[in-house]
Amino acid sequence: MGIFTRTKERQEQPAPVAADAPFTEAEVAAVKELLRLTALPPDEFDATYGALLRRSWGVIAAPRGPDWTAVRERTLACLVAALKVRRAHVLPRFAAAEDAYRLTEAMSFALAACVVAERLALVLGRATGPGWCPLTGTVPADIELADVAVPRSFGALLLPRLLGETGRQWLGEQPEALREAAAYFGGGPSQLRDIADDAAARIDMSIDPAGSAETAVEDDCAATPQAEGEASGPERGPESPPSAETGPETPDPDGVPSDIGTGRVGWRWFNWVRAGLRDGTIAANAEGGWLHNIEGSAYVVDPDCFEALAAAESMPPKSIRNRVLKLGRHRTRRSAGGRADAFPAELADGRRVSGMLFDGELLWDEDAPPASTSVLR
């Protein structure tokens, strides 16, 4: 096979499905979508992606129940979403053009394998049964699921098994892709994991940072309306004490306020704004600026407020926005469709804009900038 070099563009062909393939009719449609998102001919796709899924489904074929059904549905949905988002990224970042071309398909397959291993790990990591080993055996029909947290890195234990011989050989001959697959399950930065997280957030299937559960990003128009400008459910009220998630806001030994949050991308945006206000690189109430103090609340113009950090993170501004939304620290307002995150405003410089509204203390602690004459509309 010419699997270790990128193939030329081809006419759309049906995804091959082996006679013993354990795919349902709906899953076959998803597999065909995956084929369209790669540049592999059907036989090479079947030897890599198809084998990865058949092997994964074979491991969990026996048990029944909503957890096992859901893991198949979510894995395929996240896999399709990840490959769609991956098309907007050059991997590895800053690679020479010839290397990026050589690695395009290998990086996509590494991403796919990591997503599958991570999703299966969320359930396999909870499975317990006498004499059964998740690293070697298929799951027995009478397996039990413990109510425990599963670290994301559990997926790294499953990855070699799920890849199979052809997949292991492919990634093994592309050390850059192999390193990226290892970084996916590590504690440091990972380009592939950022893509997978972004894709999962877009389809409301994000994984909790601790790996214990999946969490959903709220839609812009939720079912339960709230009063104009009222804080959304997960948001702390003004009288609530700081939560463990928000973290301490006391100065460090050098007198500089410490970062807030958990280090996730959404919290990095908050801390980036806070640091910019302290060092003067971000000005509040500036003419043409995106951050304004409106009656004590922090108003940010969307998408301007996300573009600078998005460039630094090599992520689309919308992805940064999704991560911030997921934290639930923004205000919402009543709208015709239910609840909306966007607030129209007329700024002091005459601009009519749309943006998001936060408790001022999230961005500037007690050292608030002067109130502007900007108003919400």
Side-chain angles (χ1 to χ4, degrees):
M1 292 192 303
I3 197 168
F4 304 114
T5 58
R6 186 181 181 186
T7 57
K8 296 182 179 180
E9 293 296 327
R10 69 195 188 289
Q11 297 293 324
E12 179 178 333
Q13 303 180 58
V17 179
D20 60 346
F23 302 130
T24 66
E25 185 176 345
E27 289 172 347
V28 168
V31 172
K32 290 181 179 179
E33 178 67 10
L34 288 173
L35 173 61
R36 287 193 289 268
L37 291 169
T38 75
L40 296 176
D43 59 338
E44 295 182 4
F45 176 90
D46 189 55
T48 51
Y49 289 84
L52 169 69
L53 289 172
R54 286 194 297 272
R55 188 173 291 105
S56 301
W57 274 206
V59 170
I60 60 174
R64 295 291 182 267
D67 290 288
W68 301 100
T69 301
V71 72
R72 291 172 62 143
E73 295 174 352
R74 292 172 179 170
T75 297
L76 277 173
C78 290
L79 193 49
V80 170
L83 290 188
K84 287 181 178 178
V85 173
R86 184 263 180 274
R87 291 185 298 180
H89 294 259
V90 175
L91 297 174
R93 197 175 299 158
F94 310 125
E98 60 272 18
D99 290 333
Y101 181 85
R102 171 177 58 86
L103 289 167
T104 293
E105 290 303 323
M107 284 292 185
S108 294
F109 181 65
L111 171 64
C114 289
V115 169
V116 172
E118 180 178 47
R119 292 285 161 173
L120 261 65
L122 290 177
V123 180
L124 289 179
R126 297 167 48 212
T128 58
W132 175 70
C133 175
L135 304 184
T136 56
T138 58
V139 182
D142 58 350
I143 201 75
E144 295 184 0
L145 294 178
D147 186 15
V148 296
V150 181
R152 297 184 74 163
S153 54
F154 193 95
L157 301 175
L158 304 177
L159 188 61
R161 176 187 183 186
L162 300 181
L163 278 171
E165 182 178 355
T166 301
R168 289 194 297 269
Q169 180 184 358
W170 188 8
L171 295 187
E173 294 188 3
Q174 304 295 335
E176 300 94 335
L178 196 61
R179 287 193 293 268
E180 283 298 325
Y184 187 100
F185 296 104
S190 166
Q191 300 173 75
L192 295 183
R193 190 175 63 240
D194 286 345
I195 292 173
D197 285 349
D198 182 20
R202 296 185 186 199
I203 60 173
D204 299 346
M205 292 185 184
S206 296
I207 295 177
D208 182 89
S212 59
E214 292 176 297
T215 56
V217 179
E218 278 194 283
D219 293 333
D220 285 355
C221 295
T224 305
Q226 291 180 292
E228 184 79 18
E230 185 180 349
S232 59
E235 192 172 20
R236 287 186 293 120
E239 304 300 324
S240 302
S243 66
E245 181 186 10
T246 305
E249 299 184 18
T250 55
D252 64 20
D254 297 324
V256 178
S258 59
D259 284 350
I260 61 174
T262 62
R264 296 158 64 186
V265 172
W267 285 118
R268 291 207 296 272
W269 179 82
F270 281 108
N271 289 312
W272 170 73
V273 177
R274 290 161 60 86
L277 285 170
R278 289 196 299 269
D279 62 25
T281 56
I282 295 176
N285 305 325
E287 183 174 350
W290 52 261
L291 174 61
H292 302 267
N293 180 349
I294 300 182
E295 298 181 352
S297 296
Y299 182 84
V300 295
V301 179
D302 185 13
D304 304 23
C305 60
F306 303 115
E307 288 178 342
L309 182 62
E313 296 277 349
S314 296
M315 296 175 65
K318 185 177 180 181
S319 298
I320 302 290
R321 184 183 190 275
N322 285 342
R323 307 299 178 83
V324 172
L325 281 174
K326 180 181 174 183
L327 299 178
R329 301 288 168 161
H330 58 291
R331 303 274 186 84
T332 60
R333 65 179 179 84
R334 195 182 296 275
S335 71
R339 194 171 64 200
D341 304 308
F343 286 77
E346 184 170 350
L347 303 182
D349 58 14
R351 288 181 295 156
R352 289 178 175 266
V353 296
S354 177
M356 296 175 63
L357 199 65
F358 301 91
D359 286 344
E361 293 79 3
L362 275 172
L363 298 183
W364 49 63
D365 292 324
E366 297 178 357
D367 189 19
S372 72
T373 58
S374 303
V375 295
L376 299 178
R377 294 191 288 111

